[in-house]
Amino acid sequence: MANRALLVMDVQRDVVAIADDGSGYLPRLRRAIDGARAAGITVIYVVLGLRPGDPEVSPRNRVMTNAVRAGLFTEGAPGTEIHDAVAPRQGDVVVTKRRGSAFSGSDLDLVLRARDIDSLVLTGIATSAVVLSTLWHAIDLDFDLTVLADACLDTDPEVHRMLIEKLFPQWADVVAVEDWIKAIAPQ
């Protein structure tokens, strides 16, 4: 069996406040995290964090500039912390990134190689941002990929649906949290 890691990406207080649609996203994600831990799968949290003064933000990058203008993602700010409902436990890895992909400006690749992980399970907010960007990056790095469809969330439900149903299945296994937990459950 492949060495797997569950990536919990951008599930930060401010992001949840913007994107949570009341559909039970956080409890589903918590279930995936608990299932991964029970199966001995590494849980890695990925957060977007920008240094005070935002030295890594170019005015040419509209997304990052708009995030800074909105007061989002400053390291140490309460809204940048991982949401309490899915908070890391001792032994979980937390990686800070500087751009959209979990690999961009982070040491994620180093952490994965050090643990001999070759298979990633993707979750997070937003499907059209961190999940999509990380999926593309991971494809180029030859990772085996699974996307937990209902442990991803986007502010645009139609974009989420299109990515989950049409695009992601071309490169990854796309499954529901409950089906994944059944598949990984210790026998």
Side-chain angles (χ1 to χ4, degrees):
M1 178 157 63
N3 291 325
R4 272 187 213 147
L6 174 71
L7 299 186
V8 180
M9 302 181 291
D10 293 1
V11 186
Q12 296 163 263
R13 289 178 180 171
D14 284 346
V15 176
V16 171
I18 293 166
D20 194 359
D21 59 2
S23 68
Y25 173 76
L26 290 171
R28 278 192 309 276
L29 180 57
R30 168 95 269 149
R31 180 107 168 89
I33 293 166
D34 292 344
R37 287 186 178 124
I41 294 171
T42 300
V43 177
I44 300 174
Y45 290 82
V46 179
V47 296
L48 178 55
L50 303 173
R51 290 177 276 236
D54 313 309
E56 56 276 286
V57 178
S58 166
R60 293 181 304 276
N61 186 321
R62 291 180 192 175
V63 172
M64 297 305 293
T65 300
N66 289 337
V68 168
R69 283 187 189 139
L72 300 173
F73 305 120
T74 300
E75 286 182 332
T80 303
E81 294 176 7
I82 297 166
H83 195 282
D84 294 338
V86 295
R89 293 188 184 159
Q90 189 168 0
D92 292 336
V93 177
V94 179
V95 171
T96 301
K97 66 185 177 98
R98 308 292 181 184
R99 287 289 189 275
S101 168
F103 293 96
S104 294
S106 78
D107 60 356
L108 178 61
D109 188 49
L110 176 64
V111 169
L112 297 172
R113 284 185 288 118
R115 293 172 178 242
D116 200 28
I117 292 169
D118 58 8
S119 180
L120 301 177
V121 181
L122 306 181
T123 69
I125 306 171
T127 314
S128 63
V130 68
V131 179
L132 175 62
S133 185
T134 301
L135 179 128
W136 281 116
H137 206 139
I139 289 167
D140 284 344
L141 295 173
D142 297 323
F143 284 96
D144 182 60
L145 296 169
T146 300
V147 176
L148 299 185
D150 54 346
C152 296
L153 187 64
D154 201 278
T155 56
D156 186 327
E158 182 58 24
V159 170
H160 170 83
R161 185 197 64 74
M162 187 275 304
L163 290 169
I164 292 295
E165 292 178 9
K166 295 185 183 263
L167 188 65
F168 292 174
Q170 296 177 54
W171 299 284
D173 294 325
V174 178
V175 299
V177 168
E178 288 304 318
D179 293 336
W180 182 68
I181 289 172
K182 289 175 190 169
I184 63 165
Q187 301 299 322

